Amino acid sequence: EAALGTEEVFLQYQPMIDLSTGKIKGFEALMRWIHGEKGFISPDVFIPLLEDNGMIVKASSWALEEALMALKRIEGKAGYDKELFMSVNFSSRDFAADGFVEGVYDTISKSEVDAEQVHLEITERLLMGQPENAKETLSECQKSGMGISIDDFGTGYSSLSYLHYFPINILKIDRSFVMEMLSKDSSMELVKSMIGLGKNLKMKIIAEGVETIEEAQKLRDLGCDMAQGYYFARPMKEEDVIEFIKENRQIDF
Ligand code: C2E
Ligand code: CA
Ligand code: CA
């Protein structure tokens, strides 16, 4: 807990690129923990630990505040004015906690970014676990202007009917499909279906884990809106994000 915001626990930011223009649209905030003795610990390991012991709620609210303040600084230094978004990951525990929405509102007003610049990333699993609470929480957030993204889309085992029950703006196609789309016909078909589905429901589609130019080009041709992945940029520290933006106003591929 004491480690939040120190050299041990910090955030990195990974750009999301508009596939039709090559411009940076926003970032996903990703938590990092470099343990004093053990060194780098993967979020796939420590996030579930924080979820189990309840500390995730503190960690998430810290991450939201830090990420929005970083967005403000990044925009200032890179010469943008309320044009970029920041996407922050939340877990079931966060949604179940008292005062979640109020906390998010407070943080947004303190950081002086617009609600429209804030995207909440959640998984299907979270929605299924607490459907009524999530619906109400997300509706309030969406009404105030925030974007709602479904993370790891396609990996849940639920029926698709939830897509019109919950207020959702963005589908993030899971990396496992993108990774195989050029070598496996069935993955390609699934990617196409997800893009088509999202478009029909008037949602934006982001492809995760784009590692090659071929994947980026194919996704663009299929009408995917945005992409995120090592081909464009790895998650970076704030200073590096500012440099990256200055050097990559537009990315050709
Ligand atoms: P995620 O939300 O699906 O985040 C995307 C993960 O894919 C990140 O892993 C990112 O570094 C990685 N990635 C991005 N582009 C590529 C690529 O081109 N190739 C490959 N192989 N990987 C790519 P990371 O940072 O290790 O995070 C793992 C997971 O931990 C995240 O998956 C998310 O579920 C969770 N997580 C990270 N930060 C937070 C946080 O602040 N709060 C919560 N609740 N969960 C977090
Ligand atoms: Ca995510
Ligand atoms: Ca994901």
Side-chain angles (χ1 to χ4, degrees):
E1 189 169 319
L4 294 174
T6 66
E7 280 176 23
E8 274 199 29
V9 178
F10 55 93
L11 295 178
Q12 287 192 333
Y13 306 96
Q14 187 176 32
M16 300 196 214
I17 310 299
D18 184 324
L19 285 171
S20 57
T21 63
K23 292 196 167 117
I24 301 164
K25 299 284 275 193
F27 304 91
E28 177 174 2
L30 293 158
M31 213 180 285
R32 296 290 174 258
W33 184 12
I34 314 283
H35 189 275
E37 285 137 36
K38 296 181 197 139
F40 177 84
I41 303 177
S42 168
D44 288 322
V45 172
F46 74 77
I47 296 287
L49 290 177
L50 295 177
E51 283 171 1
D52 286 344
N53 68 18
M55 274 171 53
I56 191 72
V57 177
K58 257 226 159 82
S60 298
S61 81
W62 168 79
L64 179 68
E65 179 166 348
E66 176 63 19
L68 297 189
M69 292 189 313
L71 178 62
K72 195 79 196 167
R73 293 189 291 262
I74 290 167
E75 284 207 320
K77 288 186 183 149
Y80 282 80
D81 184 27
K82 303 199 165 175
E83 293 158 72
L84 302 171
F85 67 77
M86 182 61 75
S87 198
V88 180
N89 292 284
F90 290 95
S91 69
S92 305
R93 281 274 193 139
D94 296 309
F95 267 61
D98 284 338
F100 172 77
V101 178
E102 292 73 16
V104 172
Y105 288 163
D106 276 359
T107 305
I108 291 176
S109 61
K110 251 201 312 201
S111 62
E112 296 175 11
V113 303
D114 286 349
E116 285 73 14
Q117 294 179 273
V118 181
H119 292 187
L120 310 183
E121 278 194 25
I122 54 174
T123 59
E124 293 167 74
R125 200 161 42 88
L126 180 155
L127 299 177
M128 300 313 145
Q130 40 181 318
E132 314 214 318
N133 173 45
K135 182 174 182 168
E136 193 178 314
T137 302
L138 293 175
S139 300
E140 285 181 50
C141 292
Q142 196 187 49
K143 262 184 231 140
S144 76
M146 289 173 234
I148 313 296
S149 296
I150 300 301
D151 207 352
D152 307 336
F153 182 65
T155 62
Y157 39 79
S158 54
S159 95
L160 290 171
S161 61
Y162 80 91
L163 289 174
H164 64 103
Y165 177 75
F166 295 103
I168 295 166
N169 306 95
I170 299 167
L171 300 179
K172 295 188 77 176
I173 301 178
D174 190 66
R175 181 165 71 86
S176 57
F177 303 106
V178 173
M179 206 166 66
E180 293 183 338
M181 61 182 264
L182 295 178
S183 60
K184 202 168 150 196
D185 289 345
S186 58
S187 297
M188 176 65 86
E189 291 309 316
L190 286 170
V191 168
K192 284 184 190 166
S193 305
M194 290 188 257
I195 293 171
L197 179 67
K199 289 217 171 300
N200 288 333
L201 294 172
K202 309 268 184 296
M203 296 171 186
K204 295 274 181 222
I205 322 289
I206 302 182
E208 297 188 315
V210 176
E211 295 190 355
T212 68
I213 188 169
E214 290 80 14
E215 288 161 355
Q217 289 170 340
K218 186 69 198 177
L219 286 160
R220 176 180 58 200
D221 294 345
L222 292 174
C224 184
D225 300 292
M226 283 178 260
Q228 175 181 359
Y230 296 169
Y231 172 67
F232 295 105
R234 292 193 173 242
M236 296 174 274
K237 289 194 169 184
E238 188 177 332
E239 310 87 84
D240 299 326
V241 167
I242 294 161
E243 282 308 301
F244 182 83
I245 298 184
K246 287 183 178 164
E247 287 163 15
N248 297 279
R249 295 285 169 190
Q250 190 167 357
I251 302 171
D252 293 319
F253 61 91

